[in-house]
Amino acid sequence: MSYCVNCGVELEASLKKCPLCHTPVVNPNQLNKEFPPSPYPTEKGQVEVVKRKDLGILLSVVLSATSGTCFLLNLLVFNASLWSLTVIGCCICLFVFTFPAIFYSKTPIYVSLLADGISVAVYLFLISFLTSSTTWFWQLGLPIVVMLTVCAEVFPLLSRFFPLTILPCSLCIFLEIPAFCVSLELLIKRLLDRPYRITWSAVVLTVCVIIDFALITILAKKRLRNEVRRRLHF
């Protein structure tokens, strides 16, 4: 025995609609058969993922074409200066920077950082051909790149022997910053042929030394170290 879903009157099994309110009688077992199929596909499709090899080929073609066309344009049309060397150097840097992520993800990070430093040095060397003298490259540009590369290489090399958490990494950073600033000022004084005397880098050195002593104290005292980690949530 069934009942009308609208007014609740009892219905005979042969009725197609309610005799009182004329509501159609629907059999729940036949709902799927009566409704038309959905216009949307039932299977979920997925676009094929682009492989790293394809991205590498695309990147290599774009960078090679950019370098080659700019070189020919410089050689045949706008040949007043070697401006294409800046574009070629930029393409070399982009290729080296993206190599670990696209071509070979297993490249050790210290090897990748070394390659990045060399590519930047090559880029600056190519730019030096556009200037009247290469003294700035040998006395300032190249030493700065070498110092930055060494500073960056410290972290992956130390991580092979010691677990580098936030506090030790902060200590390393605040040790490297004053060393880099003092060296940079001395290099600038050498390039300008001025007396070797630190001025502005002494301020950086003073601030970093204070921070270094504070970090060393925190690292040496276990209770301080745990309290800092708890308050800073790391």
Side-chain angles (χ1 to χ4, degrees):
M1 194 66 68
S2 59
Y3 300 89
C4 177
V5 296
N6 185 40
C7 63
V9 70
E10 186 177 344
L11 303 172
E12 293 292 339
S14 60
L15 293 176
K16 300 297 183 181
K17 61 180 179 179
C18 176
L20 184 63
C21 64
H22 305 289
T23 301
V25 179
V26 179
N27 188 349
N29 296 327
Q30 297 179 351
L31 289 176
N32 295 332
K33 298 180 181 179
E34 294 179 359
F35 287 100
S38 173
Y40 304 103
T42 56
E43 297 182 358
K44 294 182 179 180
Q46 185 176 2
V47 180
E48 185 179 359
V49 180
V50 179
K51 297 182 179 179
R52 289 185 178 181
K53 180 180 179 181
D54 299 332
L55 289 176
I57 293 174
L58 177 61
L59 180 64
S60 301
V61 170
V62 171
L63 294 180
S64 300
T66 303
S67 301
T69 53
C70 288
F71 176 75
L72 292 176
L73 190 64
N74 187 186
L75 184 65
L76 301 176
V77 183
F78 305 103
N79 51 13
S81 63
L82 296 175
W83 58 267
S84 62
L85 293 179
T86 58
V87 180
I88 295 173
C90 184
C91 291
I92 293 174
C93 290
L94 288 176
F95 181 82
V96 175
F97 291 165
T98 57
F99 184 87
I102 296 179
F103 295 94
Y104 189 67
S105 59
K106 296 182 180 180
T107 306
I109 186 171
Y110 53 88
V111 176
S112 177
L113 291 173
L114 179 61
D116 294 343
I118 294 174
S119 66
V120 173
V122 171
Y123 182 44
L124 294 179
F125 179 71
L126 293 176
I127 293 177
S128 67
F129 284 98
L130 299 176
T131 59
S132 58
S133 174
T134 59
T135 304
W136 67 269
F137 171 75
W138 297 109
Q139 295 189 6
L140 188 62
L142 183 60
I144 289 176
V145 174
V146 172
M147 288 190 299
L148 290 176
T149 304
V150 171
C151 291
E153 290 281 11
V154 168
F155 294 96
L157 291 177
L158 288 179
S159 63
R160 300 183 62 183
F161 306 100
F162 307 100
L164 290 182
T165 57
I166 293 181
L167 289 176
C169 286
S170 301
L171 179 60
C172 290
I173 291 174
F174 284 103
L175 286 173
E176 291 180 347
I177 289 176
F180 174 78
C181 291
V182 171
S183 301
L184 178 61
E185 184 174 11
L186 294 177
L187 288 172
I188 294 174
K189 294 292 179 62
R190 178 189 176 189
L191 180 64
L192 299 177
D193 196 18
R194 293 181 179 179
Y196 290 97
R197 186 179 60 182
I198 61 174
T199 53
W200 60 267
S201 61
V203 179
V204 180
L205 178 62
T206 303
V207 174
C208 290
V209 166
I210 296 172
I211 297 176
D212 289 334
F213 276 110
L215 290 173
I216 292 172
T217 304
I218 293 173
L219 290 171
K221 297 295 182 179
K222 184 178 180 180
R223 286 176 294 187
L224 282 175
R225 185 171 65 250
N226 293 335
E227 182 67 16
V228 171
R229 289 175 177 173
R230 183 179 67 84
R231 290 187 177 275
L232 297 180
H233 303 287
F234 61 82

